[in-house]
Structure formats: C-alpha cells, structure tokens
Amino acid sequence: MWKEKLLSQRSNIAYWSPLILIIFLISLHTTPFAEITQEFGNGDIETQSKQEYFTDSVIITSQSEDSFGENNSDYFGGEYSQSYSYKQANSPELPLEDSAETLDGRLGLITMSCFILVLFCFMNRKEEININRFVSFNSIKGYLMLFIGVISLISVFTITSGLSNYSDEIAGSDMDWDVDEGIWGSATVEFESPFSGESITINMEWDPDFMMLALFVFSMIALIGGIANISYLKGDLEIEDAPIWIKDSKTFSLANSHSVAALWIVLTVAIIGSVATPWQTI
C-alpha cells in the first residue's frame, strides 16, 4: 500500500524537483565550503578568529577588541570581518585553494546545466517536446538532472578531500602540532616565545561548512528527480500518477496558468542575481 502511494508521487517529484534545485542553487553560490577556527593564547591575552572559505575568497571574522584593544571597544565593539583572495594563502591552505578552484568550476557547470533545464521547462510550456521515446521533455529533464546530481555528489568529495589534505599539511609541518587528523579535525601546539619566554598556545579546529550539506541535499534531489523523469522511458511500468500539486488543482486553475510561469521567471532572475551580483564587501 505504502509502496503504491510512494510510486504514485513520481509525477510530483518529476515536475517539482527542477524548481527545488533552482532554489538550492542560490545557497551554493553564497555559502562557505569549509571553516577553520583558531585560538591564540599568550599569557593573559587570548584571541579567537574564524576563517570561512568560499570559492573565490576567504573571510576572516575576529573580535574587535582583539584587534583594536579593550580601550577602543566602545568605538569598535562586536565583530569585524576582512577578506583576502587565495593568492595570499599560505602553505597549509593550498589544498583548500585547490578545492575552491575546483568547486568554482563545478558550480559554473551546475549553474549552466540548471539554466538549460529552466530553458527546456519554458520551451515545453509553449509546445510539448516529444521527438521520440528517448528524446522527450521528461527524458531530457532526467538526463540533465542525473548529470547535475553526479557532478554535485563528486563536489561533496572535493570538499572532504581538501580538508583531509589540509589536515595532512598541518601534521607534516615543521611545528610540533598535536593533530587529531580528519575532515573534522583539530590541532594544538605549545611553545615558548623567543622574546618574553612566555608560553604560547595555538588551537585550531577545521570542519566542512554549510555548502557541503547543501551540495549533498542538492545532489540527492537531482538524482531522485532524474530517476523519476527517466522512469517514463520504461513504458511497461504500471504506475498510476497522482495529480500534480497546485498545477492540477481545479480551485486555482485560473491563477496557476500564470503563477507557475511567474515563479520560474522570479527564480531565474534570482539565480542571475546570486551569481552576477557581489554579495560581500571588503
């Protein structure tokens, strides 16, 4: 019983999954893929900073009083952020730079594929695409979504590989780090200052950021949506498709004739804005 109900939703999955992909695409362009937190202790002085790694830059967030001093905290309270490009990255960060460059190229490929997907959805609204059994609207959507899903899933492993290599760089450095290696890793080192003789402690923690989770969910939606669309190629499947939510609603049929198209247009403009418009300032 539950299996039949689940399979009957194939039509909804096939229809709505591209729209959900477009929404998720925006988050891929605006979230970091990795984060490193660093704590520095020197006697009574303790500072903390957070580095967020995006595909095009690194954002460092610190407490204002750590940089400007407690006496100026009334004027420079809270946190402040600064950005630098990967051209200024030091040796341990090179694996993350490689991951950022790879992810940037993959996101461009995913975005272009999503634009093609949107284009086919608009074309099909005017005239149904159905050349033959293997070249139809559902099959083209399925091929594109499977491609997007595979590229997105590979990108997840690009992030984990970069963090793993970063962990190896820290473990192999000249400093005597006590390293807990891995994707979710940490490192601690303690040494004496050559000037004051005081003990200096540095703690670091690194882990994947929101982009990895977004990419994984994005890939699952694309793969499931792709399979749902490709399944229409198998004509001997006895599946009774349920009505498509909103689209097949009789109550809102008049409004839906224009609202769905309007929604696609708004989302397309949102994608262009998220990719082309600067979202951070230096």
Side-chain angles (χ1 to χ4, degrees), residues 11-195:
S11 57
N12 281 299
I13 295 171
Y15 183 84
W16 289 110
S17 51
L19 191 63
I20 298 172
L21 282 183
I22 299 304
I23 296 171
F24 260 90
L25 182 63
I26 299 172
S27 68
L28 298 183
H29 284 277
T30 57
T31 53
F33 66 88
E35 178 180 305
I36 297 177
T37 303
Q38 186 171 10
E39 295 179 355
F40 177 86
N42 182 9
D44 297 331
I45 302 173
E46 291 186 1
T47 62
Q48 182 175 342
S49 63
K50 179 177 67 175
Q51 296 173 234
E52 294 175 303
Y53 291 82
F54 295 85
T55 56
D56 57 350
S57 62
V58 182
I59 305 294
I60 304 176
T61 304
S62 307
Q63 293 294 327
S64 298
E65 61 182 25
D66 292 341
S67 298
F68 303 114
E70 294 183 0
N71 294 332
N72 294 317
S73 60
D74 293 338
Y75 304 100
F76 304 100
E79 297 180 340
Y80 81 100
S81 299
Q82 59 184 124
S83 173
Y84 67 88
S85 69
Y86 284 99
K87 293 180 180 179
Q88 301 169 271
N90 54 32
S91 178
E93 294 178 312
L94 292 181
L96 297 179
E97 179 186 1
D98 294 338
S99 294
E101 186 177 347
T102 303
L103 286 171
D104 191 45
R106 296 239 178 93
L107 286 181
L109 185 60
I110 290 170
T111 302
M112 182 182 67
S113 301
C114 285
F115 274 125
I116 296 173
L117 186 61
V118 170
L119 179 63
F120 273 107
C121 289
F122 275 120
M123 289 172 60
N124 191 72
R125 287 183 61 83
K126 186 175 182 180
E127 183 177 354
E128 186 176 352
I129 301 171
N130 191 11
I131 299 174
N132 56 48
R133 178 184 172 187
F134 298 100
V135 183
S136 63
F137 177 54
N138 285 321
S139 66
I140 292 171
K141 274 202 304 178
Y143 300 146
L144 279 171
M145 293 182 73
L146 287 176
F147 175 74
I148 292 169
V150 170
I151 295 297
S152 302
L153 194 58
I154 293 173
S155 298
V156 172
F157 294 105
T158 299
I159 296 174
T160 58
S161 176
L163 285 167
S164 179
N165 292 337
Y166 176 82
S167 176
D168 293 340
E169 285 282 338
I170 295 296
S173 66
D174 296 334
M175 298 183 69
D176 189 20
W177 290 96
D178 180 13
V179 183
D180 181 11
E181 295 187 49
I183 302 168
W184 284 269
S186 61
T188 304
V189 66
E190 187 174 353
F191 57 92
E192 288 188 0
S193 170
F195 304 103

Side-chain angles (χ1 to χ4, degrees), residues 233-245:
L233 294 176
K234 194 169 176 60
D236 57 346
L237 283 178
E238 296 181 0
I239 299 176
E240 185 178 349
D241 288 329
I244 297 175
W245 304 321

Side-chain angles (χ1 to χ4, degrees), residues 15-16 121-122 124-126 245-265:
Y15 183 84
W16 289 110
C121 289
F122 275 120
N124 191 72
R125 287 183 61 83
K126 186 175 182 180
W245 304 321
I246 302 178
K247 180 176 180 291
D248 292 339
S249 172
K250 294 180 180 179
T251 307
F252 301 101
S253 58
L254 182 61
N256 287 335
S257 62
H258 303 289
S259 61
V260 175
L263 183 58
W264 276 105
I265 293 171

